[in-house]
Amino acid sequence: VFLIILAFLSFADLYFASQEKYGKLKLQLPGKLKKFNSRYLEMVMEKGGKSLTGMIFVAGIVVSAGELLCTGQLYLASILYVMEKESVFNWSVFLMFVVYLLCMCLPLLIFTAVAAKGVKMLRLSELVRKRMPLIKLCYAILFICFAVVIMMSL
């Protein structure tokens, strides 16, 4: 039920993002955490240099830890619930872990690739803003998929 509610909220966010009413988005990081992430990432981008890839990797860990508090625990709890119900190796559980890891790593990989091309933080933020409706649609679909998998495992 919680996953369906999150899917519904993601669809609502999709609507608001497509209308460019970003202040009405419901599923987003708290303001203080967003500011911390932004300042931290700007600091990493300013230092740049030869160690940029390593610094972005560490930044990804810091940002992911903050985002884990926001959405990651839902995915992890869902996967652990299904794992608990299984007594032997199950490919669906394995695939859920792969999807979970991709969801957590894909933003970091995209950020690293874009930053390596010299794109500034403000430009990167603008790229994400323009694709916000697509991002919200992907989240809604992902929440529905997780809900279906969990319902099938009951």
Side-chain angles (χ1 to χ4, degrees), residues 43-69:
M43 184 231 8
V44 167
M45 294 303 294
E46 286 173 6
K47 290 193 179 192
K50 293 181 181 179
S51 61
L52 180 62
T53 302
M55 290 171 57
I56 290 176
F57 180 76
V58 172
I61 291 171
V62 170
V63 171
S64 294
E67 295 204 12
L68 177 70
L69 300 172

Side-chain angles (χ1 to χ4, degrees), residues 19-122:
Q19 300 293 315
E20 297 186 6
K21 296 179 179 177
Y22 303 109
K24 293 190 175 196
L25 297 179
K26 300 295 182 204
L27 299 176
Q28 58 182 332
L29 290 173
K32 288 182 180 181
L33 187 55
K34 279 196 282 190
K35 285 179 184 177
F36 170 80
N37 286 347
S38 180
R39 283 191 304 254
Y40 186 78
L41 291 174
E42 285 174 5
M43 184 231 8
V44 167
M45 294 303 294
E46 286 173 6
K47 290 193 179 192
K50 293 181 181 179
S51 61
L52 180 62
T53 302
M55 290 171 57
I56 290 176
F57 180 76
V58 172
I61 291 171
V62 170
V63 171
S64 294
E67 295 204 12
L68 177 70
L69 300 172
C70 188
T71 58
Q73 79 277 7
L74 175 65
Y75 303 130
L76 194 56
S78 301
I79 293 167
L80 292 175
Y81 171 77
V82 174
M83 276 183 61
E84 185 180 74
K85 305 223 18 123
E86 301 293 329
S87 59
V88 295
F89 181 80
N90 184 317
W91 280 101
S92 67
V93 174
F94 176 76
L95 290 175
M96 282 193 290
F97 270 117
V98 170
V99 169
Y100 172 75
L101 291 172
L102 285 174
C103 289
M104 293 304 285
C105 294
L106 191 60
L108 173 62
L109 293 174
I110 292 170
F111 180 77
T112 303
V114 171
K117 291 185 177 191
V119 176
K120 298 290 181 202
M121 194 67 186
L122 188 58

